[in-house]
Amino acid sequence: MNSDVTAVVVAAGSGVRLGGTVPKALRTIAGKALVRHAVDNLIAGGCSRVIVMIADSERQAFEEALQIAAPGPGVELAVGGEQRQDSVSNGLALVDTDFVLVHDAARPLVPSSLVAEIISQLRSGSDCVIPVLPVVDSIREVGADGRSSVIDRGRLRAVQTPQGFRTDVLVAAHRRVSELGVEVTDDAAAVETLGVEVQLIPGSEMALKVTRPIDLVIAEQLLKES
Ligand code: C5P
């Protein structure tokens, strides 16, 4: 093991909510694929190796988008799995550094300063550090009977990526959720099953997740203004 930082970028989903014929991570803003934006920002923030998890059928398209033939420092592709957590697990098996960041390719504009802050917290002893933002909408919970009740949004946070971990902690967490047979939508939720404390730091509006068509327009505009 060494104290460098590997980023595992999950890009093996189909991105059906965004529409289009190519995987979401290959959609472009400012002439560059979302995944390339994400990878560049992770490297600028201090990651020395980036493993991008993809569907095997998309290998050539990702090689072109990431210019793997003429790579930057340590950008490589590996095959993801059925669910997001399977894609992360497959990537983790390749990690040989003390610390790992897990990032959604769908968050292309994550600031390098946020990446650097997460790495700094890990090096200072945090086992798990995640960026979060306050929730701006009022939130209601809807029961199976269709009745709803309001939830105090002051206590809620929206969770972003990259999420940073001590690699051995995240490996143990993924083993645990696999044993329990539970599905998690992010890696901090997996770590929580071990009783490990999840450290929250302020996230960034720039790290928005491109999910719906309007998000592509917003991301392009944010990039122009940044
Ligand atoms: O579906 P959702 O938007 O939550 O996916 C989050 C990220 O996980 C996306 O970047 C997607 O490409 C990735 N993913 C994956 N493998 C899967 C499913 C999703 O890498 N099997």
Side-chain angles (χ1 to χ4, degrees), residues 72-90:
V75 183
E76 59 205 90
L77 300 179
V79 178
E82 183 101 353
Q83 307 292 335
R84 182 188 184 281
Q85 67 199 61
D86 305 316
S87 295
V88 175
S89 280
N90 290 3

Side-chain angles (χ1 to χ4, degrees), residues 10-14 17 24 53 81-84 87 104-106 209:
V10 283
S14 56
R17 282 167 292 184
K24 178 163 67 177
M53 310 309 298
E82 183 101 353
Q83 307 292 335
R84 182 188 184 281
S87 295
D104 288 342
K209 184 174 178 185

Side-chain angles (χ1 to χ4, degrees), residues 23-87:
K24 178 163 67 177
L26 295 176
R27 297 291 290 271
T28 57
I29 49 174
K32 209 161 82 165
L34 299 187
V35 66
R36 180 77 240 186
H37 285 283
V39 167
D40 287 349
N41 290 329
L42 289 162
I43 290 171
C47 296
S48 55
R49 181 183 179 205
V50 183
I51 307 172
V52 182
M53 310 309 298
I54 60 161
D56 203 24
S57 57
E58 304 291 345
R59 183 174 288 273
Q60 198 183 339
F62 272 87
E63 276 173 3
E64 281 164 18
L66 290 165
Q67 297 163 313
I68 299 277
V75 183
E76 59 205 90
L77 300 179
V79 178
E82 183 101 353
Q83 307 292 335
R84 182 188 184 281
Q85 67 199 61
D86 305 316
S87 295

Side-chain angles (χ1 to χ4, degrees), residues 89-136:
S89 280
N90 290 3
L92 272 180
L94 305 171
V95 174
D96 62 356
T97 50
D98 288 341
F99 306 115
V100 62
L101 266 51
V102 180
H103 185 60
D104 288 342
R107 297 185 189 271
L109 303 184
V110 57
S112 58
S113 55
L114 179 58
V115 175
E117 175 61 20
I118 290 166
I119 292 173
S120 164
Q121 294 295 333
L122 291 172
R123 292 216 161 104
S124 303
S126 184
D127 288 341
C128 166
V129 51
I130 67 171
V132 299
L133 287 178
V135 172
V136 291

